[in-house]
Amino acid sequence: DSGVTQTPKHLITATGQRVTLRCSPRSGDLSVYWYQQSLDQGLQFLIQYYNGEERAKGNILERFSAQQFPDLHSELNLSSLELGDSALYFCASSPSTGEGVGGYTFGSGTRLTVV
Amino acid sequence: GDSVTQMEGPVTLSEEAFLTINCTYTATGYPSLFWYVQYPGEGLQLLLKATKADDKGSNKGFEATYRKETTSFHLEKGSVQVSDSAVYFCALKIGNQFYFGTGTSLTVIP
């Protein structure tokens, strides 16, 4: 157990729907990162939050949004879902802003299937 | 831009064989380099890292040396085990940004 908790583990939904993925970072970590892992794109960085504030943005679609709450858990909202959004979504956390030589701790992911 | 290229898989080896997974990088600054491993059904786990040129990262019998002159960070293990079967990701980090390779799937057969 890495200490990063993601729920749900699996999600199946229809095109056009909206889903929310949840992540609880490792105890003491202030940053949360969201990644999308698909077969054709590999691991793509979506967005980072640090202590409740958006810190960095990657290849995140406008249909996707995220937030980090005062208790530091984070939610990734995916709307108007398309078949191509089917992927593994990983959350990772780190103690600080992520600068420096440290690695991140990853959760076990949420597998989203859009049908 | 900053990126990582790692060898295509899948790789299939017999137990006790020697493993090399090639990784090269392109970076504008001075990155730290990482290898992550993903076992079936799990998230990525940090395997090893190196933070500057000529550093060698090592863990669980795996090694990789940060080679600035060849911009490489190849992963090696002298004798693989069935339990090493997983997907291996090379990554570089600049600032707070990680750039991952596409992953190399390794299967070790008894």
Side-chain angles (χ1 to χ4, degrees):
Chain A
D1 182 6
S2 68
V4 177
T5 304
Q6 289 188 247
T7 57
K9 290 196 181 305
H10 302 277
L11 200 49
I12 301 176
T13 190
T15 54
Q17 295 298 305
R18 172 190 170 95
V19 296
T20 298
L21 313 184
R22 182 188 168 103
C23 170
S24 293
R26 197 177 56 163
S27 178
D29 284 359
L30 298 178
S31 273
V32 169
Y33 311 81
W34 286 98
Y35 286 83
Q36 180 191 55
Q37 185 182 36
S38 57
L39 283 175
D40 57 344
Q41 295 276 343
L43 205 66
Q44 299 284 319
F45 168 67
L46 296 177
I47 197 165
Q48 175 198 1
Y49 277 81
Y50 170 71
N51 205 21
E53 301 285 330
E54 183 183 303
R55 180 82 180 181
K57 218 167 189 176
N59 301 319
I60 188 166
L61 300 172
E62 286 193 12
R63 301 184 284 110
F64 296 0
S65 64
Q67 55 184 324
Q68 186 179 29
F69 294 86
D71 67 352
L72 300 177
H73 91 272
S74 177
E75 293 181 356
L76 179 67
N77 299 296
L78 315 176
S79 61
S80 303
L81 285 167
E82 302 174 359
L83 295 178
D85 298 327
S86 297
L88 256 176
Y89 291 85
F90 284 109
C91 169
S93 71
S94 69
S96 61
T97 58
E99 305 279 341
V101 302
Y104 300 158
T105 303
F106 283 79
S108 56
T110 293
R111 181 170 293 282
L112 173 67
T113 303
V114 183
V115 297
Chain B
D2 302 318
S3 65
V4 170
T5 302
Q6 61 181 105
M7 66 185 278
E8 296 278 337
V11 174
T12 303
L13 294 173
S14 297
E15 207 165 22
E16 299 183 2
F18 184 85
L19 168 72
T20 300
I21 301 178
N22 290 338
C23 171
T24 57
Y25 67 90
T26 301
T28 51
Y30 300 95
S32 298
L33 301 174
F34 298 76
W35 278 100
Y36 276 84
V37 58
Q38 184 180 25
Y39 298 103
E42 298 184 14
L44 279 71
Q45 300 175 26
L46 178 62
L47 181 60
L48 53 84
K49 70 178 184 183
T51 60
K52 61 183 187 298
D54 300 325
D55 269 3
K56 178 187 282 188
S58 61
N59 186 24
K60 299 181 182 179
F62 291 89
E63 292 183 341
T65 301
Y66 190 140
R67 302 280 189 205
K68 190 177 178 185
E69 63 276 11
T70 54
T71 62
S72 65
F73 192 56
H74 304 321
L75 182 68
E76 295 181 339
K77 186 174 185 181
S79 176
V80 293
Q81 305 300 311
V82 172
S83 57
D84 294 326
S85 297
V87 180
Y88 293 82
F89 291 88
C90 184
L92 71 82
K93 186 182 184 208
I94 290 186
N96 68 346
Q97 288 296 312
F98 264 102
Y99 299 88
F100 287 89
T102 52
T104 301
S105 174
L106 170 67
T107 301
V108 180
I109 54 177

